[in-house]
Amino acid sequence: MAQIPEPGSPLIPHVLKTDVDDILDDIDGHIHGPISRLTTKYFSKFDSILRDDVAHIMGVASLDGGCSVSPPFSSAQDFSHRSSAFSSRDLNGARGTWSTCCHPSALDSASVHLPEGAASHLFLSRSAAPFDPKTESSWRDVQVIGQFCQQGGRVISYRDGLLNLCAHAREVFANQTTRLFLHGFYLCGSLLELWVFDRSGIYGSDVVDIEKDLSKFLSIMLSYPLMSDGELGRSDIIRNDDIGSFVTLEDAPTIPLGKLYLEGQPIALSENLVGEGTTCFRAKALGSDEWTHVIKFKWRWAATRPEGTLLRLAKEKGVWGVASLDYHREFTRTAELRSGLGWRKSDRGCEETLQDQQKQPVSPKSATATGPGGLLDITEETNQFLKNRILTCLVISPAGRPLRTFKSVLELLHVFRDAIKAHRSLLQDANILHQDFSAQNIIIITEPLSDHDDPKGMLIDLDVAMDLSVGPRTPGELVGTRIFMAIGILQGRPHTYRHDLESFFYVFLWTIIINRSDHLPSDSKLRPSSPTTTTWGEVAAQKENLMGGKETFAEILAEFTPEFGSLKPLAETLRQILLFPVGIDGEIIWTGTDGTPEAVNRLYDEMIGAFEDAIAEMKRRRNYLEPGHVSI
C-alpha cells in the first residue's frame, strides 16, 4: 500500500518514477498472449479505407469521418511527429484527443535506459489541454496509452519499452480508482502490439506490421476515439455533481438518501497494477460536516471468502473493536471483462485459464535483447493461472485516523492496547483469525480519550482473515505484510494467533521508530537488507538474530528517539512475553504456538497487562510533570 496521509491532507502526486524491480514483481506471471481474438473483440466495429492519402473510418452503415494522412510511415518516430494527423476532432462522435509526450522513461532504474528521442508516448485524453505527466489531472483524463520506439541508431530493448508502458498503466489505475481495464499499444519500428491492462494482469495481441497492413493499423488508431466508456474500460461507479464526487449505494437503508460524498484524496492507495488495487476514501452524507464512513474499493480474488461476509459475522457475534460493515456490493469480474477472448473455467472453478491454442501466463526473462522480437522473445511460459478478480465496494464505519497520526505517546498506548483486545475478541467471539496485523490495519478513533469502554484503537481490513471454522483459503499460502510477518510464517508454518501477536510487536517497534513519518530510516535494523531480493528465509533469519538476544535487540531500542525512551522497558517486556528466550544466555528463541485455551488467554492477558501497566505509569508520571516539560 502507498503511504496514508493525515485526514484532509493531499496525497503526494504520482510523478512517473517507478522502480523497475517493482514493475517486474507486479507483472511476473501475469502476462498473457499473443491472443488472436483481442483485435476482433475490440476493433471489429470499425474499418478504414484509404482514398487519395486520406484515411476514413467506416462504421456499420455510413462514412463517419476522416483525417489527412500521408502514408507510408517510415518509423515509429516518424509516426510520433505526425500523430496530430489523427486528430479526433475530424471524427464524428469522437470522445477524446491525442497528445504526444516525449521523455526518456517512466522507470527509475539504471537497468532501463530509454535514450532521449528514442521513445515517445501517446495518450488519448478526454481533455483538450496538453498532457502533463507530472499532474494528477492529466492522468485522470487518460483513456488510452501508447508507446512507440524507433529503430536504428538509438535502439532500445523490447523489454524496456514494455516495462515503461506498464509504468504508465500503473499511473492511470492509481489516478482512476474504479477503472475496469485500460487499452494500450506498443509500436516498435513498424511492428504494433495491442495491450489491455486489468487487475488480473496484462494481455496482448498478435503483432501487426503497419508497413504491410497500414489499413488495419489506421482502423485501430481511428477506433480508439470512437469507443464508448464501457469499451474504453471506464466505469460510472464514482460520479460528480456540483457538490463533489459521490457514490450511490443501492438498498442501503442506514445511509441517508443512499448517497455518500468522497473526500478529495484517498486515505489509502495501492500502487500496484495487478492485484486487489485497494483504495479507500473517507466519506460523508449530504449536508454532514463529519467524515463518518470509509468507502473501500478493491478487486478481491474470487477464490476468497468476501471480506463483507466476515465483517457481518463479526458484527453478529458482537466483536469488540473491529470496524462495522454498513454496505457491501460487487460489480464485475475480470473474467467477464475478458469474455470473447477464449477463456474457459478451470477444474478448480475459481480461476481462469487460456484455451489450448493460446499462451499460458508468462514471466519476464532477464534478457534484454534489442530487437523488436516481441513478447515471446523476452518471456517464458509458466504453470500459473489467471486469477479471476471481483470489483467490490464496502462502506465501513467509523472513519478513524491512520496509526502514524497519533498525537501523544499516551494515545498511542491506548490504541495499541485496544488493538490487541480487538484481535482477541475477533478470535474468541467470532472464531476469525485476522492474519494481517499491520500498521495500515490499525486506526485511531477520533473521539477524545475517555475512561469508558469505547475502543480508542480499532482493527480494520479482513481481506485475508481466516474463518477458523472453514480453514485457510489456500493451504501453505503466505499472507500478511512482509515487514511485519512473524518468523514462523516466514518459515512456512501454519498461521496462528501467536503469529499475529508477533506481527503486532513488529508494528509497535516500527511505529515508534518511524515517529510519525512515512518510512523506516535507511539504516534501521528492522529494514530488510534488500527488500526486493531478500528471500523469506533470509528475512526470518534476520528477525531471529535481532530478537534472539539482549545485545541485538538493544540495537533496535537504540533507534527510539528521546520522546519514546520511556517505552523501552515495555518493548523488552513484550519481547520476553512473545519470544520465550531459552538457553543459558537466552540467545535461542522459540517461535512456536501453544494453542491450549489456558496458553491463549495467558498470552493475551500478559500483553494487554503490559500495556495497562505502561498506561498507568505514564498517567502517574504525567501528574508530576511541571509546565514546560516534554508532553507525553
Side-chain angles (χ1 to χ4, degrees):
M1 299 290 289
Q3 60 192 27
I4 303 177
E6 296 186 29
S9 65
L11 196 70
I12 296 176
H14 294 269
V15 291
L16 278 181
K17 281 297 177 184
T18 306
D19 186 83
V20 63
D21 289 335
D22 196 21
I23 291 285
L24 285 169
D25 185 58
D26 197 358
I27 66 175
D28 186 20
H30 302 292
I31 309 172
H32 305 81
I35 300 175
S36 58
R37 300 186 191 182
L38 188 151
T39 305
T40 302
K41 175 179 172 66
Y42 293 108
F43 301 99
S44 59
K45 184 176 179 180
F46 304 102
D47 198 3
S48 67
I49 59 173
L50 289 173
R51 292 178 182 170
D52 301 324
D53 289 349
V54 176
H56 297 276
I57 185 75
M58 182 72 74
V60 176
S62 64
L63 188 66
D64 296 315
C67 56
S68 298
V69 179
S70 299
F73 299 112
S74 59
S75 67
Q77 192 70 7
D78 182 28
F79 168 72
S80 69
H81 288 321
R82 291 186 284 153
S83 60
S84 59
F86 292 95
S87 174
S88 55
R89 64 177 177 268
D90 297 323
L91 299 175
N92 297 332
R95 307 171 59 83
T97 57
W98 291 107
S99 180
T100 304
C101 178
C102 299
H103 54 87
S105 178
L107 292 165
D108 187 14
S109 174
S111 65
V112 171
H113 179 57
L114 304 185
E116 185 176 357
S120 298
H121 312 281
L122 195 66
F123 302 92
L124 180 66
S125 175
R126 293 186 297 177
S127 172
F131 181 83
D132 182 355
K134 295 183 179 181
T135 64
E136 294 180 29
S137 59
S138 285
W139 288 109
R140 287 174 183 152
D141 285 329
V142 168
Q143 303 196 83
V144 179
I145 60 174
Q147 175 160 314
F148 30 96
C149 304
Q150 74 176 68
Q151 287 179 278
R154 298 178 185 175
V155 177
I156 68 169
S157 74
Y158 172 89
R159 168 188 176 274
D160 290 353
L162 182 59
L163 292 178
N164 204 46
L165 189 67
C166 290
H168 289 308
R170 281 165 55 117
E171 291 289 352
V172 174
F173 277 91
N175 286 282
Q176 299 182 29
T177 303
T178 56
R179 175 172 274 279
L180 306 180
F181 60 89
L182 173 69
H183 285 282
F185 67 88
Y186 183 15
L187 182 58
C188 188
S190 65
L191 302 181
L192 173 74
E193 282 180 337
L194 306 178
W195 288 93
V196 179
F197 304 82
D198 65 28
R199 292 299 188 178
S200 287
I202 65 176
Y203 49 103
S205 70
D206 292 318
V207 174
V208 176
D209 189 332
I210 67 172
E211 291 184 352
K212 296 179 180 178
D213 197 347
L214 181 60
S215 178
K216 184 175 183 178
F217 168 71
L218 295 176
S219 175
I220 290 169
M221 299 305 297
L222 292 171
S223 293
Y224 282 128
L226 296 175
M227 289 181 176
S228 66
D229 279 350
E231 292 167 331
L232 288 168
R234 301 187 69 93
S235 75
D236 61 353
I237 298 172
I238 298 178
R239 302 180 183 181
N240 296 281
D241 60 16
D242 294 338
I243 299 174
S245 299
F246 67 90
V247 174
T248 300
L249 310 174
E250 300 177 0
D251 301 321
T254 62
I255 308 297
L257 302 178
K259 179 188 291 187
L260 287 176
Y261 283 85
L262 309 182
E263 195 173 20
Q265 296 287 351
I267 59 172
L269 175 66
S270 171
E271 295 182 332
N272 288 341
L273 172 63
V274 181
E276 292 188 334
T278 303
T279 306
C280 300
F281 292 88
R282 294 202 306 171
K284 63 182 179 181
L286 179 64
S288 173
D289 295 328
E290 300 292 332
W291 300 105
T292 54
H293 295 77
V294 170
I295 293 184
K296 178 179 182 179
F297 297 103
K298 67 175 184 178
W299 290 83
R300 74 171 184 87
W301 183 18
T304 62
R305 191 172 187 185
E307 181 186 9
T309 301
L310 294 177
L311 285 170
R312 286 195 188 97
L313 176 60
K315 190 173 184 177
E316 292 170 1
K317 297 294 184 179
V319 171
W320 184 92
V322 173
S324 176
L325 177 70
D326 300 307
Y327 179 80
H328 177 214
R329 181 184 175 188
E330 296 183 343
F331 293 94
T332 188
R333 301 171 177 239
T334 52
E336 294 174 358
L337 299 177
R338 296 187 178 196
S339 64
L341 294 176
W343 313 97
R344 61 177 173 84
K345 289 273 179 95
S346 72
D347 292 336
R348 298 195 207 181
C350 60
E351 297 175 327
E352 305 291 320
T353 63
L354 289 166
Q355 293 280 24
D356 293 338
Q357 70 270 20
Q358 297 170 336
K359 291 294 294 181
Q360 290 287 336
V362 292
S363 173
K365 294 179 182 178
S366 58
T368 56
T370 56
L375 176 69
L376 300 183
D377 286 349
I378 59 118
T379 57
E380 55 191 13
E381 190 169 331
T382 75
N383 59 0
Q384 295 178 242
F385 294 89
L386 165 67
K387 283 189 175 180
N388 183 21
R389 295 192 175 275
I390 304 172
L391 176 57
T392 305
C393 173
L394 299 98
V395 178
I396 300 167
S397 61
R401 304 191 334 256
L403 180 61
R404 69 177 181 84
T405 65
F406 63 92
K407 297 178 180 178
S408 69
V409 177
L410 183 59
E411 180 183 55
L412 185 63
L413 289 175
H414 278 98
V415 170
F416 279 139
R417 177 204 62 189
D418 289 352
I420 299 175
K421 292 171 67 176
H423 189 275
R424 181 181 199 167
S425 179
L426 186 67
L427 177 71
Q428 297 185 336
D429 295 331
N431 204 30
I432 296 173
L433 183 62
H434 191 280
Q435 295 198 122
D436 191 13
F437 229 142
S438 69
Q440 288 75 25
N441 292 338
I442 303 172
I443 60 173
I444 302 172
I445 302 306
T446 54
E447 298 175 357
L449 293 178
S450 61
D451 292 328
H452 55 72
D453 195 43
D454 291 343
K456 283 81 174 176
M458 185 169 283
L459 273 184
I460 61 173
D461 198 347
L462 301 187
D463 277 336
V464 296
M466 175 171 52
D467 183 343
L468 294 174
S469 64
V470 176
R473 58 182 185 178
T474 304
E477 179 187 20
L478 261 67
V479 295
T481 303
R482 177 168 173 156
I483 194 171
F484 304 125
M485 281 185 178
I487 294 170
I489 296 301
L490 294 167
Q491 293 173 336
R493 299 177 189 172
H495 211 123
T496 70
Y497 79 98
R498 204 211 69 85
H499 294 134
D500 272 7
L501 293 179
E502 184 182 332
S503 293
F504 167 83
F505 179 48
Y506 301 138
V507 172
F508 171 76
L509 298 173
W510 183 89
T511 304
I512 292 172
I513 292 172
I514 68 166
N515 190 13
R516 303 179 179 89
S517 65
D518 300 323
H519 305 287
L520 284 170
S522 59
D523 59 349
S524 174
K525 295 296 182 180
L526 286 183
R527 180 185 291 275
S529 56
S530 178
T532 59
T533 59
T534 305
T535 65
W536 300 113
E538 289 169 338
V539 176
Q542 179 184 357
K543 286 185 175 180
E544 279 190 308
N545 180 60
L546 288 174
M547 302 299 158
K550 290 185 177 181
E551 291 185 3
T552 53
F553 189 67
E555 296 179 10
I556 293 179
L557 297 181
E559 297 182 33
F560 285 28
T561 62
E563 179 183 6
F564 302 99
S566 63
L567 298 186
K568 290 182 179 180
L570 173 60
E572 177 58 35
T573 297
L574 294 173
R575 184 183 79 94
Q576 294 286 339
I577 292 172
L578 277 167
L579 299 177
F580 309 107
V582 297
I584 297 176
D585 299 321
E587 298 296 321
I588 301 174
I589 63 174
W590 177 71
T591 58
T593 298
D594 186 342
T596 63
E598 296 78 13
V600 173
N601 285 317
R602 182 172 59 250
L603 187 54
Y604 277 114
D605 287 341
E606 290 180 354
M607 291 192 69
I608 293 170
F611 278 95
E612 293 281 12
D613 291 344
I615 290 170
E617 174 64 17
M618 188 146 295
K619 287 181 177 179
R620 184 190 67 78
R621 290 179 56 231
R622 184 176 63 177
N623 291 334
Y624 287 96
L625 279 178
E626 297 294 333
H629 284 207
V630 176
S631 170
I632 60 173

